[in-house]
Amino acid sequence: MKKVIIVTLAVSILISGLFANGQTDDGRKSIGIAMPETHVARWVTDGEALKANAEAMGYKAEVAFGDADQTKQNKQISDFITKGVDLIVVASINTGVNTALAEAAAEGIEIISYDRLLMDSADFNYYITFNLKKVGELQGKSIVDALDLDNSSEVKYISLFAGSPTDNNAYFFYDGAMEVLNPYITSGKLEVVGPYPVTSADKDNFNRIATEGWRAELAKERMENLLSGDAEEFVLDAVLAPNDPVGRAIIEACSNDSKYDTTAKLPIVTGQDGELATVQYIRDEKQHMTVFKDSRLLAKATIQLADSILRNTAIDVPGTVKTEFDTNLKMVETYLLTPILVTKENYEEVIIESGYYTADQIK
Ligand code: GAL
């Protein structure tokens, strides 16, 4: 019995030493990784990639998923702080995260805003993501090309969806796409069916096309309402969808409508994130495109940034363009990676040959 007590005591001392003062018992610094949710598959992939890259660079790393609940994510961040992490990578659910950021900053813990910009906070210094406006531009351009708007003489019809109004990224995605599409709407080549915010500055109409929490089920419900409402008298040629789950939800709603119940009759639907289910939809010609934001590259670049910060060395993040973004309270040093348009024509090269998914996974 005595031996069991001694072993238990030794193990508990070992575990308590893992994060004491940010140093694990073997001297490694530690990184907390706070991902927002798992109902959008890409965050699971990102969390895993961030942890793997951190450990490959000699750091202890722990990933937590907030399940789209900012209170839960705040508790996770507080737990990281209690464990003494040296740096926290955060993609938040909403600005409710700012109290947790302030707690981390008060402990001198550096924070990297990951993919989603942390808004209305001055408690961090770094942001890393893909070129947000370019994501939207690729979505808009893919519609122009697929509908051949530069050469078509017939009016084409489009409905518009945006991301979550709680996510600063959603405004950049939408404005990037509309900068491409607005000239075709103004010229009459493209007609909007349903609410039409010319830019995200039209908050009332933007909120009418936005998808709270990026919840695909809300997008499906809105698409069903469009089909039996504003779009009932039209045959839609395209739907601007901000990300893959919203795009697939729109396609599912259309597939249940006799006007669109074969692949050939579906509208052109956009997306982003290169999710596995969407790559399969692209292969099957259900979804027209996605914007590939290779999480392997984003995770590697993020940990390279973290490493420079933690070692207090000159920051060099290969494969990124350095700029700065405004949180409304301060300008933060920003590193942008380049997104890639993926369609039926190049998904095998970009997604499979690059090893992001295997051919078996796509089956
Ligand atoms: C955004 C992100 C998109 C998509 C969306 C839904 O913040 O930039 O790539 O993942 O969230 O989670």
Side-chain angles (χ1 to χ4, degrees), residues 11 14 28 46 63 86 127 168 179 191 209 239 242 265 281 297 339:
V11 168
L14 177 67
R28 289 182 298 162
D46 287 69
V63 188
D86 299 278
Y127 176 38
N168 188 62
E179 197 168 284
E191 185 173 321
I209 69 168
V239 181
K265 289 157 63 177
Y281 266 40
L297 301 180

Side-chain angles (χ1 to χ4, degrees), residues 40 42-43 115-116 167 169 173 214 243 272-273 293:
V40 180
R42 59 81 41 107
W43 297 110
D115 196 34
R116 287 181 180 172
D167 183 349
N169 288 6
F173 298 147
W214 295 91
N243 79 327
Q272 77 170 292
D273 287 341
K293 298 163 51 172

Side-chain angles (χ1 to χ4, degrees), residues 330-360:
K330 71 179 287 188
M331 302 303 286
V332 291
E333 195 171 311
T334 298
Y335 294 87
L336 297 179
L337 287 84
T338 303
I340 299 173
L341 169 68
V342 168
T343 62
K344 172 107 180 184
E345 283 62 49
N346 70 343
Y347 80 93
E348 288 169 308
E349 175 201 348
V350 174
I351 302 270
I352 298 173
E353 288 165 25
S354 78
Y356 194 71
Y357 297 127
T358 65
D360 281 348

Side-chain angles (χ1 to χ4, degrees), residues 9 39 118 220 234:
L9 189 60
H39 70 267
L118 298 164
K220 184 173 183 180
F234 297 90

